[in-house]
Amino acid sequence: MPDNRIRVLCVFGTRPDAIKMAPVVLELQRRPETFAVRVVVTGQHREQLAQVLSVFNLKPDHDLAIMQHGQTLAEITTRSLTGLDADLKEYPADVCLAQGDTTTTFVAALAAFYHKVPFGHIEAGLRTGNPYDPFPEEMNRRLAGVLTTWHFAPTEPSRQNLLAEGVASTSIYVTGNTSIDALKTVASRPYTFDDTTLHALMESDKRLILVTAHRRENWGAPMSNIGHALRTLAEEFADCEIVVALHKNPIVRETLCPLLEGRPRLHLIEPPDYVPFVKLMQRAHLILTDSGRVQEEAPSLGVPILVLRRTTERPEGVTAGTAKLIGTELEDILREARTLLTVPSAYAQMAHTVNPYGEGGAAPLIADVLSRLR
Ligand code: UD1
């Protein structure tokens, strides 16, 4: 019997990509009569990727294992491209799928193009309009979009961005964001922190401020501003505990650690695995972040977010009022955080639960679209 299933190559490489691709891979695997799924990870991230794979019980068919400490963008690009090129040569595919704006994603689209394999872009159409912000993600996403056959846009505004660039409406599908599918899978899982400090914080009645920052455009002075702001907030608010989930990137640590280590009410922690991170978000009173994924997840959990960036490709949370774009100037961070920590009405206004990124169900919609290929 000839195998006439649709051969889908799913590619990811960083932690956020793995989280958002996981629901799609699992959904395709749930339809084995329709899809033959191959999972290739570039390994742009190593430890951070491994833990997400285990949370979702995903086993890659091939790990290109490209991560090196201090890797440059060109190195990520060339090593991933060479690896994916060889994989596609050996295992031809009918469809290639990747999500978002990382270098792995752009390279997956390019490798697929070289093999004339149609590309499905998950989380398509997000734009800041500034090619250097976020860098290189804005351009990664645009470049992937040019090479895309199916644009899976999470929201109506992202669909509008694609239409404005001349993308045919028939190739765009508004699906919601797959991060909500992933969040739903784990939000209700029980979890107990082994770490005694975190365990105590989860149980305490202090207000918890959760912080993440890693973006290239925030390296240097902006990251230093963030560190100084956190120091001041920890000194001013004795009823708050600040948890900083440090990114693995050594450049981020070089700035933040000397400023924050050993200070009262400031806790620098290794990047938590996905489930404990979701638990920390659920427990948080306020989140300060430059992460895209956190901007999508926090509104579902009713936690206000101050976004440590000048631009965002995710305006939906800002429009809905659960996120505020505050940049990285010291005074701006302090002013906005102080307001939320001292003015109950300002806090209440941001804390209402709206979910501009959908209610979940993006992954089955994507699988439905692809199943029509047969
Ligand atoms: C990458 C993505 C960014 C995404 C972020 C999420 C690009 C260009 N950047 O940025 O869009 O928001 O992931 O985290 O695609 N490292 C480890 N272990 C790990 C992961 C990283 O040691 O598991 C260290 C390595 O020294 C590595 C460095 O972090 O060289 C940077 O990783 P890289 O993927 O190049 O950039 P990110 O800043 O993580």
Side-chain angles (χ1 to χ4, degrees):
M1 271 279 281
D3 184 353
N4 66 347
R5 293 178 303 164
I6 302 161
R7 297 165 300 179
V8 187
L9 169 65
C10 297
V11 181
F12 48 92
T14 67
R15 177 167 61 173
D17 289 342
I19 292 168
K20 295 182 189 187
M21 282 297 285
V24 179
V25 173
L26 295 172
E27 181 64 33
L28 296 171
Q29 287 175 340
R30 256 177 236 127
R31 309 182 190 195
E33 67 293 344
T34 310
F35 298 108
V37 184
R38 179 169 175 80
V39 176
V40 174
V41 296
T42 60
Q44 181 178 338
H45 285 174
R46 190 183 299 143
E47 304 86 348
Q48 302 196 166
L49 182 68
Q51 54 90 1
V52 179
L53 293 171
S54 87
V55 167
F56 291 98
N57 203 14
L58 286 178
K59 290 182 186 53
D61 297 286
H62 187 181
D63 182 352
L64 306 179
I66 65 139
M67 197 199 93
Q68 289 177 4
H69 288 290
Q71 59 199 358
T72 66
L73 295 173
E75 287 165 349
I76 302 173
T77 306
T78 49
R79 284 200 296 270
S80 302
L81 188 59
T82 306
L84 288 173
D85 182 49
D87 196 272
L88 272 161
K89 200 169 169 195
E90 195 172 348
Y91 300 95
D94 301 308
V95 177
C96 176
L97 285 182
Q99 93 82 41
D101 61 4
T102 62
T103 296
T104 287
T105 301
F106 155 57
V107 172
L110 185 60
F113 172 72
Y114 287 159
H115 287 264
K116 300 199 172 124
V117 173
F119 181 73
H121 190 196
I122 298 166
E123 202 186 67
L126 282 65
R127 297 286 186 271
T128 63
N130 180 344
Y132 288 100
D133 195 351
F135 174 85
E137 289 83 359
E138 172 79 0
M139 196 48 77
N140 279 343
R141 200 188 300 267
R142 288 199 218 176
L143 292 168
V146 175
L147 301 164
T148 292
T149 300
W150 302 274
H151 302 261
F152 298 111
T155 63
E156 181 57 28
S158 42
R159 187 177 88 95
Q160 290 300 332
N161 289 339
L162 291 167
L163 291 174
E165 290 172 9
V167 174
S169 61
T170 46
S171 67
I172 310 173
Y173 304 84
V174 177
T175 59
N177 198 302
T178 59
S179 62
I180 308 300
D181 298 40
L183 187 67
K184 282 194 150 182
T185 331
V186 302
S188 56
R189 280 192 203 172
Y191 187 84
T192 309
F193 284 86
D194 290 336
D195 180 279
T196 46
T197 312
L198 284 176
H199 185 79
L201 281 175
M202 291 297 286
E203 303 297 317
S204 87
D205 53 8
K206 294 276 197 77
R207 295 190 290 182
L208 194 149
I209 302 175
L210 180 63
V211 184
T212 78
H214 73 282
R215 294 208 166 259
R216 279 181 158 75
E217 59 277 13
N218 280 345
W219 291 354
M223 196 62 72
S224 169
N225 292 342
I226 293 168
H228 281 100
L230 297 176
R231 242 161 89 149
T232 305
L233 291 170
E235 280 160 16
E236 278 180 21
F237 292 92
D239 67 331
C240 291
E241 298 285 340
I242 303 180
V243 176
V244 184
L246 284 174
H247 192 274
K248 283 274 181 204
N249 197 324
I251 297 173
V252 172
R253 293 179 178 225
E254 273 161 28
T255 310
L256 287 184
C257 293
L259 285 170
L260 304 178
E261 253 163 4
R263 302 219 149 230
R265 294 189 284 282
L266 266 163
H267 310 274
L268 300 182
I269 61 169
E270 284 303 310
D273 290 357
Y274 180 51
V275 178
F277 188 73
V278 170
K279 296 294 155 191
L280 282 168
M281 281 199 296
Q282 287 175 313
R283 167 71 179 80
H285 179 74
L286 172 64
I287 298 177
L288 276 70
T289 188
D290 64 7
S291 147
R293 180 171 65 83
V294 177
Q295 287 178 60
E296 290 155 6
E297 292 171 341
S300 324
L301 304 171
V303 185
I305 342 166
L306 294 177
V307 181
L308 300 163
R309 293 176 54 184
R310 286 186 306 275
T311 59
T312 181
E313 62 288 348
R314 294 176 171 83
E316 292 87 347
V318 178
T319 308
T322 57
K324 194 163 183 186
L325 207 56
I326 64 164
T328 49
E329 294 300 327
L330 177 61
E331 282 311 317
D332 294 336
I333 302 172
L334 288 175
R335 186 187 60 251
E336 297 297 337
R338 283 175 182 143
T339 302
L340 288 178
L341 293 172
T342 55
V343 183
S345 58
Y347 183 86
Q349 210 173 6
M350 282 186 85
H352 59 271
T353 310
V354 279
N355 192 340
Y357 300 103
E359 298 301 327
L365 277 174
I366 292 166
D368 288 348
V369 170
L370 297 179
S371 67
R372 283 181 227 137
L373 270 178
R374 215 173 43 175

